Amino acid sequence: MELDLVTSPPPVEETLAARRARRQAILAKYAGIASSSTGPTPSPGPSSAVEPPPVTPDVSNFPSQNQSVVGTPGPVESVHAESAAPKRDTASASPTPGLFSLAKGGDEEEVQAKAQQENGAGEQISAADYDPSLDRREDEQKRVWGGKEEPVDVEMVEEEEEEEEDVDDMFAVATTEKKKVKKVKRVVKQAAPAIITATLDTAADPEGYYQVILGEQLDGGRYQVFSSLGKGMFANVVRARVLQGDANEVGKEVAIKIVRCQESMYKAGLKEAQILMKIKQADPDDKKHIVRLERTFEHRGHLCLVFESMSMNLREVVKRFGKDVGLNIRAVRAYAHQLFLALSLLRKCNIMHADIKPDNILVNEQKTLLKLCDLGSASDASENDITPYLVSRFYRAPEIIMGHPYDPAIDIWSIGCTLYELYTGKILFPGRSNNQMLLHMMEVKGRFNTKMIKRAKFGDMYFDELGAFLSVEQDRVTGSDVVKKVHVTKPSRDLRQRLMPPHSVKLKDEESKLLMSFIDLLDKCLALDPSKRITPKEALVHPFIRG
């Protein structure tokens, strides 16, 4: 008996390994070194994207925005964007660009590699390998004990030379008989207050996170946990299956956010739920790309929020399909459109997200539809208490760092940083401190205007009376922090220099126009003065989005 066996497609790992080998060869070529890669080298041309299976015109074959979508991502790198939303004529409609590829083509990768080498952008940090939870943990401690204090890591203070119990400065000058005023550098590290509140019925670890048990049933047997999705600063998230409920609900998969067992975080979780319900009421048709909260309940002392289930976040997408080189510009355009739709709804509801980054943007299994998630830091636009640690550092707007009054424009800045990462695979402003973040911003956008510096609460911590920037740098010999005055007049490496290929590389007219419009949109998102930043409404009709 003879059997006709269908040839299996190559494993995803082999496909991705081949693409990585080609990237290394491209980078090596323009770095002037020989490639040491021993992996298979694909033929020139478009990247080895595996087309999705044929689809019928019936849109019911695609998950709608109201359905929970979950699953392990497959080797699909070119995706149909029609499934993201039905066609509409208004500027608020989701994009329908037909077919876009997540991975860049071979020519596009080569152009970017050469641009990075010639423009000196090769030292940027990879967006795929960055773990923002480490920075958020550090900032959480600062916020607990010092959120309203001076934001610089190294503090220049005047004090009398005398013995102090709390200060141990190895660089301090020896005490003389006559007391005199001196300037010393001091890093203030106070012990953060305890953040865990014990309860009578809890299963929390020492940090207050719920200790997940696979197979455990939650909410009286309504849900059964089958995997853990990890944890953030305020909660851990599990994936569960519905066991009880309506007939159309049973068997559905959901994501459950289990808030840490601590009083202030419990209150923050309730606030997040209230904001999400407000957004849900303002978007009954689920067209504005913000994750849907289904319900809440309590389990063993922990507040639990039940969400629709999605596939992966955008950092994982970049790591999988565009590590170190970023995504195809048409994929970036489709994602940008959906992000600005989400922001337009937040603006309508007078809400600031205050933590937009690739990690907080989820996509469905087909990678066509995204949802903005994690509104744990969100607040009403009128609640803008000055704190230098709001938003994850690499996506933190300059007005937050400087203590300048802020508004929803902080989210526009974060989206600008995020879009840059999606296209390049690199982090735009990788500052190790708030001080260094401001310096990186001025390298790209030039100096801050005097009016903004004077209005900022912490302006004199970063600029002297003549407008020079007080840059905190590490001494190469001693390793200690020193303050140097830096005079910034104009950008030393702006967005156009970073993103446009050198004159030796010629782009097609269509590609060149698309890239130029993308740079213009980023430039408007990253205006140092928040009052001059583009609004969501303006972004939705920008040439990069609308064509």
Side-chain angles (χ1 to χ4, degrees):
M1 182 176 179
E2 295 183 359
L3 297 177
D4 293 329
L5 300 178
V6 180
T7 304
S8 300
V12 181
E13 289 72 16
E14 290 185 12
T15 302
L16 296 178
R19 291 182 58 243
R20 291 192 185 100
R22 186 181 68 253
R23 286 181 194 153
Q24 293 301 321
I26 292 172
L27 292 171
K29 175 181 177 182
Y30 292 106
I33 60 174
S35 173
S36 59
S37 174
T38 58
T41 303
S43 58
S47 60
S48 53
V50 181
E51 293 295 332
V55 295
T56 66
D58 184 1
V59 294
S60 64
N61 287 332
F62 293 98
S64 69
Q65 294 190 38
N66 295 314
Q67 291 176 316
S68 296
V69 186
V70 67
T72 303
V76 179
E77 296 186 17
S78 294
V79 291
H80 285 278
E82 284 87 355
S83 63
K87 291 186 178 181
R88 294 186 290 274
D89 296 328
T90 64
S92 63
S94 292
T96 55
L99 184 70
F100 66 80
S101 173
L102 286 173
K104 289 182 173 178
D107 293 341
E108 196 175 6
E109 284 189 17
E110 187 168 356
V111 166
Q112 182 172 325
K114 189 169 184 180
Q116 286 186 355
Q117 291 296 333
E118 295 202 9
N119 294 331
E123 297 179 357
Q124 290 177 267
I125 296 177
S126 170
D129 299 327
Y130 170 59
D131 181 5
S133 63
L134 299 178
D135 288 332
R136 288 308 300 266
R137 182 172 293 275
E138 176 185 336
D139 287 345
E140 182 194 25
Q141 297 300 321
K142 293 178 181 178
R143 188 183 293 109
V144 168
W145 56 258
K148 296 183 179 180
E149 301 297 326
E150 292 140 349
V152 290
D153 297 314
V154 178
E155 187 179 11
M156 298 295 295
V157 296
E158 289 189 356
E159 58 181 21
E160 289 185 346
E161 290 191 56
E162 58 182 310
E163 293 184 0
E164 295 186 42
E165 296 179 359
D166 299 329
V167 178
D168 182 15
D169 187 352
M170 64 180 292
F171 299 110
V173 182
T175 305
T176 59
E177 294 182 0
K178 182 179 180 181
K179 293 182 179 180
K180 61 181 181 180
V181 175
K182 66 171 183 177
K183 284 189 176 182
V184 298
K185 288 181 296 186
R186 185 170 60 186
V187 179
V188 182
K189 293 184 178 179
Q190 302 178 17
I195 60 173
I196 304 304
T197 300
T199 65
L200 296 177
D201 180 23
T202 183
D205 67 10
E207 292 186 302
Y209 290 101
Y210 182 72
Q211 294 179 308
V212 178
I213 303 174
L214 297 185
E216 179 182 9
Q217 294 185 2
L218 309 177
D219 197 19
R222 181 167 182 151
Y223 306 102
Q224 184 173 40
V225 177
F226 67 88
S227 72
S228 175
L229 296 176
K231 63 183 181 181
M233 283 308 308
F234 307 105
N236 51 343
V237 183
V238 299
R239 186 166 284 164
R241 188 172 288 106
V242 179
L243 299 181
Q244 302 175 10
D246 297 337
N248 61 338
E249 292 285 313
V250 174
K252 186 179 74 170
E253 294 174 358
V254 296
I256 302 178
K257 183 175 183 178
I258 307 176
V259 179
R260 288 169 70 179
C261 184
Q262 195 268 336
E263 184 179 358
S264 64
M265 294 187 183
Y266 181 90
K267 292 180 179 179
L270 288 178
K271 181 179 179 181
E272 179 180 5
Q274 292 171 352
I275 289 174
L276 285 165
M277 292 308 297
K278 179 180 180 180
I279 291 172
K280 190 174 183 178
Q281 292 172 359
D283 181 28
D285 297 327
D286 192 13
K287 297 178 180 178
K288 299 298 184 181
H289 303 281
I290 296 180
V291 71
R292 307 293 273 189
L293 174 67
E294 298 186 357
R295 55 189 299 273
T296 64
F297 65 92
E298 289 192 29
H299 180 74
R300 304 188 70 181
H302 295 262
L303 176 65
C304 301
L305 285 67
V306 182
F307 293 93
E308 60 178 322
S309 187
M310 303 288 283
S311 175
M312 60 169 63
N313 65 49
L314 282 186
R315 191 173 305 283
E316 294 169 327
V317 171
V318 170
K319 187 171 185 176
R320 185 177 180 86
F321 300 110
K323 184 176 174 62
D324 295 329
V325 296
L327 304 179
N328 183 287
I329 195 166
R330 285 167 178 78
V332 175
R333 178 169 64 178
Y335 289 156
H337 195 157
Q338 297 179 51
L339 282 172
F340 284 118
L341 284 173
L343 225 55
S344 69
L345 177 60
L346 291 180
R347 183 70 65 96
K348 177 182 176 181
C349 296
N350 204 38
I351 292 171
M352 295 182 292
H353 185 284
D355 197 20
I356 294 178
K357 55 188 176 185
D359 315 79
N360 289 340
I361 303 168
L362 305 176
V363 295
N364 64 355
E365 189 175 0
Q366 289 73 27
K367 319 298 183 298
T368 57
L369 179 147
L370 65 74
K371 293 286 188 80
L372 187 60
C373 73
D374 196 352
L375 279 79
S377 299
S379 65
D380 188 272
S382 61
E383 300 176 19
N384 50 4
D385 296 335
I386 300 298
T387 169
Y389 302 113
L390 187 67
V391 186
S392 296
R393 187 168 66 244
F394 293 168
Y395 313 91
R396 189 176 291 158
E399 60 266 32
I400 297 173
I401 297 174
M402 295 172 63
H404 186 279
Y406 59 88
D407 58 27
I410 63 173
D411 289 335
I412 293 288
W413 178 277
S414 299
I415 282 185
C417 297
T418 296
L419 294 179
Y420 179 92
E421 279 187 31
L422 295 185
Y423 180 66
T424 64
K426 304 289 185 179
I427 292 173
L428 178 56
F429 301 119
R432 60 182 173 85
S433 65
N434 272 348
N435 182 282
Q436 199 176 62
M437 285 293 295
L438 291 179
L439 184 61
H440 285 323
M441 292 172 188
M442 289 188 289
E443 288 174 350
V444 173
K445 299 292 295 181
R447 70 185 304 274
F448 289 90
N449 63 59
T450 304
K451 182 179 178 181
M452 185 173 177
I453 295 173
K454 289 183 176 179
R455 195 180 177 195
K457 182 177 179 180
F458 309 128
D460 57 354
M461 297 294 172
Y462 296 110
F463 298 89
D464 67 10
E465 60 277 3
L466 298 178
F469 181 66
L470 305 176
S471 176
V472 178
E473 302 175 11
Q474 197 171 52
D475 187 276
R476 295 182 179 180
V477 178
T478 64
S480 60
D481 286 334
V482 295
V483 178
K484 295 183 179 180
K485 293 185 178 182
V486 178
H487 295 272
V488 178
T489 55
K490 60 182 181 179
S492 57
R493 191 171 62 200
D494 61 16
L495 289 170
R496 180 183 172 87
Q497 284 180 294
R498 289 194 176 200
L499 295 174
M500 286 297 291
H503 295 297
S504 59
V505 178
K506 299 297 181 182
L507 291 177
K508 296 178 181 178
D509 288 344
E510 182 182 355
E511 300 296 321
S512 180
K513 289 179 181 178
L514 188 58
L515 183 54
M516 285 298 295
S517 65
F518 177 59
I519 293 172
D520 182 72
L521 176 63
L522 287 185
D523 196 56
K524 288 178 168 60
C525 288
L526 298 170
L528 293 180
D529 187 342
S531 66
K532 296 180 180 179
R533 254 169 244 157
I534 196 171
T535 65
K537 184 178 180 180
E538 292 168 343
L540 287 170
V541 295
H542 188 277
F544 179 68
I545 303 295
R546 302 307 301 175

